[in-house]
């Protein structure tokens, strides 16, 4: 389950994303992918629609977190949250 993943596997395996990025890397957010994909289309002057494959329905992300797991993720990914302008609702 998500709680176990955050407390064990995530801490061991996942590195904060800013470690993979340079300052000039274009980062598109999945939650805005249709709007942000337009940047890619404009850059390459290609207007093919973005295909949607393997989609699934989920509850709002806040429903998966406990106070403890929220804090673990906030601490682990502090730089990513700040750099990419995320926040918790």
């Amino acid at each position: 389950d998500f709680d176990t993943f955050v407390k064990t596997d995530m801490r061991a395996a996942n590195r904060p994303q800013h470690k993979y990025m340079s300052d000039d890397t274009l980062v598109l957010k999945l939650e805005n992918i249709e709007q942000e994909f337009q940047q890619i289309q404009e850059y390459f002057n290609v207007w093919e629609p973005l295909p949607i494959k393997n989609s699934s329905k989920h509850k709002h992300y806040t429903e998966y977190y406990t106070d403890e797991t929220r804090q673990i993720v906030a601490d682990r990914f502090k730089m990513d949250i700040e750099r990419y302008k995320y926040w918790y609702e």
Side-chain angles (χ1 to χ4, degrees), residues 29 31 79-87:
K29 294 181 177 183
E31 61 271 20
M79 293 291 296
D80 287 348
I81 292 166
E82 291 173 4
R83 177 180 248 180
Y84 305 118
K85 297 176 178 65
Y86 281 101
W87 64 92

Side-chain angles (χ1 to χ4, degrees), residues 59-77:
K59 297 183 266 183
H60 192 269
Y61 78 91
T62 56
E63 293 187 44
Y64 295 97
Y65 285 88
T66 64
D67 290 342
E68 180 183 13
T69 57
R70 180 185 174 279
Q71 192 59 54
I72 291 169
V73 171
D75 292 343
R76 174 94 170 136
F77 296 97

Side-chain angles (χ1 to χ4, degrees), residues 34-47:
E34 288 186 23
Q35 296 83 10
E36 296 200 19
F37 184 68
Q38 291 175 358
Q39 295 177 60
I40 302 296
Q41 291 172 309
E42 290 170 9
Y43 182 82
F44 289 105
N45 197 29
V46 174
W47 305 103

Side-chain angles (χ1 to χ4, degrees), residues 52-56:
I52 298 174
K53 297 182 178 182
N54 201 21
S55 66
S56 58

